Amino acid sequence: MTSKITVVGAGHVGSTLAYSLAVSGLVREIVLVDADRGRAEGEAMDIAHAVSFSSPVNVRAGDVADTAGSLVTVIAAGAAQRPGQTRDELLASNVEMTRALVPQLVQASPDGQLLMATNPVDTLTVAALQMSGLPSSRVYGSGTVLDTARLRNELSAHYGIDARSVHAYVLGEHGDREFVAWSTATIGNIPLDTYCSLTGTCWGQAERDDIERRVRNAAYEIIQRKGATNYAIAASLKRIIEAVVRDQNSVLTVSTLLEGQYGLTGICMGLPAVVNRGGVRRLLPVPLSPDETVRLQHSATAVQATVAAAGLANA
Ligand SMILES: NC(=O)c1ccc[n+]([C@@H]2O[C@H](COP(=O)([O-])OP(=O)(O)OC[C@H]3O[C@@H](n4cnc5c(N)ncnc54)[C@H](O)[C@@H]3O)[C@@H](O)[C@H]2O)c1
């Protein structure tokens, strides 16, 4: 099954996503849109030349009209974090950009889906949802899919187990108030605490806190060293697109609208949801511990504050 994907923003994230999609054999057509048309053209040309080594795919730069009929439009454009800068500091300019872009993109692809990557991603998903007029099943963000990948990578390295056999989630805000749902973590279907006791590899609270800190601060650490993050976020976005294109019903912690789940309404956050060709089919209720429930509430309070600061509350 092949499909057309638009990537808005041909910077670090967008161009790496376009490249990984192009060599994946997953899609038929990729359109790269950027305010800097030359940059989009240069990236599209370079990526297209790599396609000789993989399945045919049409990669090109374009404007909004060229995106018509996209199954998924990814928004990875706008201001990015500079060293030491938080995601929330990008708010005002990226909300304005979303306001300018989303109506045109939806007009070009009224039956498609919007996948937000631009930060602060949870608030911008709320913005895109309001500005698109689309149902929430078709407007969602990358949420904590990347953070969850980072966590699974840490656990995989510690236990010497394939990350795909490690099931553990980072939930809530994609940002400084995200948290690990340790109580639901499993390795090969064995609860993490049981697995630790069986194998004599138990962590104390301090070690868990340390892992969580590393996951939460990963973007700061990487940006300080190389100026941007691109590979793992591109892999995360590609994984979400794969679930859509192949109608996989995959459970992914995308940022999606809460409508009473966990007692929360009107904000988007990263929580496990079923993703298929129609977008987000449903949110799954995770049985959180009392402490994790409090941490989810803290995350929600932070996103609510950012949504209000952006003038998006009760819009
Ligand atoms: N969700 C996540 O997990 C995650 C991870 C990494 C980065 N990000 C976010 O993704 C965004 C992009 O990051 P990056 O490192 O690729 O930035 P970048 O600066 O490398 O690229 C941004 C691109 O957006 C383009 N752009 C700006 N305004 C535009 C507009 N109105 N229309 C079209 N194009 C426009 C710029 O010309 C530039 O090419 C940032 O907000 C960043 O914080 C999110």
Side-chain angles (χ1 to χ4, degrees), residues 8-16 33-37 39-40 75-81 87 90 93-94 96-98 100-101 116-122 124 141-147 150 174 219 223 227-230 232-234 236-237:
V8 184
H12 294 94
V13 174
S15 61
T16 311
V33 179
D34 198 287
D36 179 348
R37 177 64 185 237
R39 182 172 193 167
I75 300 190
Q81 285 167 274
R87 293 175 180 91
L90 310 173
S93 65
N94 286 347
E96 275 325 298
M97 182 201 68
T98 304
L101 280 173
M116 300 301 293
T118 303
N119 277 318
V121 72
D122 301 298
L124 290 188
S142 55
T144 50
V145 174
L146 169 60
D147 317 83
R150 287 173 173 152
H174 169 63
I223 289 168
T229 61
N230 56 321
I233 176 60
S236 305
L237 293 165

